[in-house]
Amino acid sequence: MKTIDELLDEGVAGKRVFVRADLNVPLDGTTITDDGRIRAVLPTVARLAEAGARVIVASHLGRPKGAPDPAFSLAPAAARLGELLGADVAFATDTVGDSAKAVVAGLGDGQVAVIENLRFNAGETSKDDAERGAFADRLAELADLYVGDGFGAVHRKHASVFDLPARLPHAAGGLIATEVGVLKKLTEDVKRPYVVVLGGAKVSDKLGVIDHLLEKADRILIGGGMAYTFLKAQGHEVGASLLQEDQIPAVQEYLKRADERGVEFVLPVDVLVAPSFPDLKTKAPANPETVAVDAIPAGQMGLDSGPRTNLLYASKLADAATVFWNGPMGVFEHPDYAEGTRAVAQALIDSDAFTVVGGGDSAAAVRILGFDENAFGHISTGGGASLEYLEGKTLPGLAALED
């Protein structure tokens, strides 16, 4: 896999360089609430611009249905990128149309442009190879070179991720090189004890990685909404908590395998419950009740781990040498349900382990809860991509960058 260092050594001055970034930032209207992904690709964009390239940054945002949708415009991300670069960033109001062609043609050496959301074109995400390839052909007309640096999208077989690199000389950006290097530390010659913390809403999203990590990890801590399927599998009643009943047999099998392999599975011992999901807009007081996991009342839903669980998890992380964390422990966006996630983040900081925060909501939580990002070994920009890498899957966007 060619690196951006090699590309820069060959010279990029005056060349149009297409950078597939991940600017899929959360928005409140047109206000960016977490610019972490823009900051992550900034070094690659800056290095190319400083070397005299004409940089074309492209990304998706959200899930528009293959047509323009103002709610998913990349205009706010383009503006923020310009602020962080300290330079004007041109913005094209389409992907491969007249605006994109004109904006790219108007770039001078060292200048940067962002084109509109790639998913405004149905060819970006099409499962039809010909349709996807046709869109990649049109994107290729805009550029001379390709740099893949959108790690959060490398598990997608999309035109700009998988098909476009085959049409242009290509290299991996600095962010992708860093992400892959970190993930190798979680899969090759891992320092032990190796502890994995998995949270988030659905256990079905994590089945593949749990299956794979049963062969790798020494200890697996489960939290978030997915914990209630595990608790139900152990025979506990979970009230109105999030439950994927169809996944109980798979969960029971994993618990059995973990026991046979000597992998320690750690589940909550107490939780915070309330009759309804909290209001995340007003953040009105929720007044939750703390109960043991074997005493969740009917009609109550678990929304965060309890204080005894938080102490337990901190103790299980204290001796770790390597930690991978993906998924919050509760509804961290509401202050009454943030303590479980806060406790895990603090335990990672307090440990002497190499710590990896696996993207998505976990990365957002670290920033929203006010932690210093530099206190962690690495904060990934791609939750789904990280999980699929740890599952041992071939990621299309990485395969496309191989020579």
Side-chain angles (χ1 to χ4, degrees):
M1 185 183 293
K2 180 183 281 189
T3 67
I4 189 173
D5 293 331
E6 295 172 272
L7 195 68
L8 290 168
D9 286 344
E10 294 170 1
V12 296
K15 294 183 178 179
R16 302 169 301 163
V17 182
F18 188 103
V19 178
R20 193 359 172 140
D22 179 9
L23 308 181
N24 186 27
V25 292
L27 294 172
D28 182 1
T30 59
T31 301
I32 296 170
T33 57
D34 180 3
D35 67 358
R37 283 176 168 159
I38 302 175
R39 290 179 178 276
V41 77
L42 191 65
T44 290
V45 174
R47 289 183 71 193
L48 289 166
E50 288 164 5
R54 303 178 181 195
V55 187
I56 306 144
V57 181
S59 177
H60 69 288
L61 191 151
R63 296 180 182 272
K65 302 185 183 300
D69 184 337
F72 298 107
S73 175
L74 277 174
R80 182 59 179 149
L81 178 62
E83 291 172 359
L84 293 170
L85 282 172
D88 290 336
V89 169
F91 181 66
T93 56
D94 57 26
T95 54
V96 290
D98 292 341
S99 179
K101 291 174 183 175
V103 165
V104 171
L107 286 175
D109 293 0
Q111 293 185 324
V112 179
V114 174
I115 63 173
E116 187 53 286
N117 191 335
L118 292 163
R119 291 185 182 175
F120 284 2
N121 189 304
E124 169 68 1
T125 59
S126 176
K127 297 189 184 306
D128 180 83
D129 290 349
E131 183 180 13
R132 216 176 50 246
F135 182 49
D137 287 339
R138 297 183 68 188
L139 289 172
E141 292 172 3
L142 298 174
D144 306 303
L145 303 169
Y146 176 94
V147 172
D149 215 28
F151 180 74
V154 294
H155 58 314
R156 306 296 188 192
K157 192 176 181 181
H158 291 171
S160 65
V161 176
F162 179 75
D163 302 274
L164 185 55
R167 289 157 168 78
L168 294 170
H170 51 265
L175 173 61
I176 278 186
T178 297
E179 294 272 14
V180 172
V182 166
L183 289 170
K184 284 184 177 179
K185 290 185 179 181
L186 300 177
T187 54
E188 302 171 9
D189 298 322
V190 182
K191 292 184 178 179
R192 299 184 179 280
Y194 177 19
V195 183
V196 176
V197 185
L198 296 176
K202 295 182 178 180
V203 69
S204 56
D205 293 341
K206 305 289 198 304
L207 288 178
V209 75
I210 293 171
D211 183 62
H212 201 69
L213 287 171
L214 283 172
E215 309 296 322
K216 304 276 186 182
D218 299 300
R219 193 177 298 149
I220 300 175
L221 281 53
I222 301 292
M226 63 183 285
Y228 299 98
T229 301
F230 278 87
L231 292 171
K232 182 71 172 180
Q234 288 188 325
H236 298 299
E237 293 302 321
V238 297
S241 305
L242 184 64
L243 175 65
Q244 289 186 285
E245 199 131 15
D246 61 323
Q247 302 298 333
I248 288 176
V251 165
Q252 289 173 329
E253 176 61 26
Y254 288 152
L255 290 170
K256 179 183 175 185
R257 278 177 54 198
D259 185 57
E260 291 171 349
R261 295 189 59 82
V263 177
E264 186 180 4
F265 243 103
V266 187
L267 298 175
V269 293
D270 63 344
V271 295
L272 301 189
V273 299
S276 60
F277 199 82
D279 188 327
L280 298 183
K281 284 195 176 292
T282 66
K283 294 185 170 55
N287 302 315
E289 177 187 1
T290 302
V291 299
V293 294
D294 59 358
I296 298 174
Q300 299 276 312
M301 61 176 62
L303 296 165
D304 194 16
S305 53
R308 287 196 297 127
T309 300
N310 297 341
L311 289 172
L312 171 66
Y313 284 13
S315 73
K316 297 295 183 181
L317 289 162
D319 67 342
T322 304
V323 180
F324 173 72
W325 171 33
N326 180 281
M329 299 293 101
V331 187
F332 71 91
E333 301 92 339
H334 192 286
D336 288 353
Y337 302 110
E339 286 311 304
T341 302
R342 189 190 309 277
V344 166
Q346 189 62 55
L348 264 65
I349 292 172
D350 292 342
S351 76
D352 293 325
F354 173 65
T355 56
V356 179
V357 181
D361 286 341
S362 308
V366 163
R367 289 186 277 267
I368 289 169
L369 297 178
F371 288 97
D372 179 0
E373 294 180 49
N374 294 321
F376 301 88
H378 179 70
I379 298 180
S380 179
T381 57
S386 295
L387 289 174
E388 291 199 16
Y389 188 99
L390 293 180
E391 286 179 45
K393 290 184 176 179
T394 296
L395 306 188
L398 297 184
L401 294 174
E402 298 287 352
D403 290 322

